[in-house]
Amino acid sequence: MELRDCRCFLAVAEELHFGRAAARLHMAQPPVSQRIKALERELGVLLFSRTSRSVVLTPAGEAFRHEAASLVAQAEKTVETARRVASGMAGRLVAGFVNPAMDAFLAAALARFRSGAPEVELDLREMTTRAQAEAIRTGRLDIGFLRHAGQDIPGANLFVLHRESYILAVPSGHPLAALPRVPLKRLDGVPMILPPRGQVPALDMAMAAAFATVGATPVAAQEAASKFTTLSLVASGLGVALLPASVRVWRRAGVVFTEIEGELPRVDLAAALPAERDNMAAQRLLAFAREACPGEEAGAIRKKEKKTS
């Protein structure tokens, strides 16, 4: 039994006239009659009682009508669901992010995404860059928003979205707090709150090279993984910290932000999408993220093309 047979039966059941049902189905009447007879043979029951003047559903036909209508409706719903998922308007989206991305552009992008695709089940996961790279490789993330310092993300297409410089967070009573710009060399021997090493190895190397160029050595007073913890430690006077400029939106008592003078690596925030798996919901979110990124550099793209056989 095929869905087209069910649709043919339903047309006859609603019209109770083979000619009108055929016109409704844009078919000739003989094929409609043939399909109904074939369906009755397959089911082993009469669905219609036919006379020269009327067509009437049998009790079996009445029962079949109800089930056939449910079957056709479910099939149509299934097709529509598949189409909505394929277009990015439904389904599930698992997105990873580092917190600076949320500050810089992701919060605005998510608001537009939720407004435009409310049927998408959105699973947001705050993760380190390294954890996102692994999750994308193993198929556990549909899109990741992560730090990018030139490193390759195996199996992913990369889109650089946002670039910003570092600023220095200083305890309000610290001698450096009075300077409008702090030369990188002045941080030699100064206790600092540093991120855990190894989260973005390429960035670790670039930062170490920048300090070495000016003959300065950062002194780790404490490690902190999040900017919130970092700002709290700075406010307590444990040390200074280099942070992305977007952290200015998080005003913290006891912390002064000042410019840093020196050749530091820029902070790139990128989107990473699995190269071998298309997800239109992820593409929609990426489009909103790119629109939310200010500045000319937001359009920079680094893309790893799919392998072709």
Side-chain angles (χ1 to χ4, degrees):
M1 182 176 63
E2 300 180 3
L3 281 173
R4 62 181 180 179
D5 294 332
C6 289
R7 291 190 175 97
C8 186
F9 162 79
L10 288 172
V12 177
E14 291 168 9
E15 297 291 343
L16 293 178
H17 191 283
F18 280 84
R20 290 196 297 269
R24 174 172 158 182
L25 294 167
H26 304 289
M27 297 172 62
Q29 182 174 330
V32 173
S33 299
Q34 291 166 9
R35 283 195 179 181
I36 296 301
K37 289 178 181 179
L39 183 59
E40 289 176 322
R41 285 196 300 271
E42 183 176 355
L43 297 176
V45 298
L46 282 176
L47 299 173
F48 296 98
S49 175
R50 306 165 179 85
T51 70
S52 59
R53 295 184 177 182
S54 67
V55 176
V56 180
L57 281 165
T58 65
E62 287 283 4
F64 186 71
R65 176 182 181 178
H66 175 75
E67 298 299 332
S70 296
L71 180 62
V72 170
Q74 182 58 50
E76 291 174 349
K77 179 181 178 182
T78 301
V79 171
E80 178 61 20
T81 297
R83 288 172 175 164
R84 290 183 67 77
V85 170
S87 67
M89 297 301 293
R92 185 166 184 262
L93 179 65
V94 184
F97 68 95
V98 293
N99 199 269
M102 191 66 75
D103 286 345
F105 59 83
L106 190 52
L110 287 171
R112 293 191 61 191
F113 180 84
R114 293 304 298 154
S115 176
E119 294 179 41
V120 175
E121 178 188 350
L122 188 58
D123 184 352
L124 293 173
R125 304 178 183 182
E126 185 173 3
M127 306 168 68
T128 65
T129 292
R130 173 170 285 187
Q132 288 187 61
E134 177 63 14
I136 288 172
R137 186 186 70 80
T138 56
R140 292 180 289 114
L141 276 186
D142 298 311
I143 187 170
F145 296 94
L146 42 76
R147 289 189 182 279
H148 186 257
Q151 78 274 26
D152 184 35
I153 306 293
N157 289 335
L158 288 172
F159 301 82
V160 175
L161 297 173
H162 184 69
R163 291 174 172 170
E164 60 183 338
S165 58
Y166 281 96
I167 58 174
L168 188 67
V170 185
S172 55
H174 196 281
L176 296 178
L179 300 179
R181 297 180 64 85
V182 176
L184 189 59
K185 174 68 175 176
R186 291 288 300 271
L187 298 184
D188 184 40
V190 175
M192 298 186 67
I193 314 300
L194 300 175
R197 291 190 59 81
Q199 290 187 356
V200 188
L203 186 57
D204 293 340
M205 294 176 61
M207 191 65 77
F211 274 89
T213 298
V214 298
T217 302
V219 175
Q222 180 67 45
E223 286 190 351
S226 75
K227 66 174 179 295
F228 306 107
T229 301
T230 298
L231 290 174
S232 295
L233 294 174
V234 171
S236 69
L238 286 183
V240 302
L242 289 169
L243 291 167
S246 59
V247 80
R248 290 184 188 274
V249 301
W250 296 96
R251 299 184 183 277
R252 178 62 190 258
V255 177
V256 174
F257 296 116
T258 185
E259 300 296 323
I260 190 77
E261 187 178 289
E263 294 296 326
L264 285 173
R266 295 179 68 88
V267 187
D268 282 5
L269 294 171
L273 288 82
E276 304 299 331
R277 189 171 73 252
D278 292 326
N279 185 312
M280 282 305 300
Q283 293 289 346
R284 282 179 176 275
L285 181 55
L286 173 61
F288 288 135
R290 295 179 72 176
E291 290 174 6
C293 292
E296 296 179 358
E297 292 179 302
I301 298 176
R302 297 175 184 173
K303 185 174 181 180
K304 184 176 181 179
E305 299 292 345
K306 295 183 182 179
K307 294 181 180 179
T308 56
S309 56

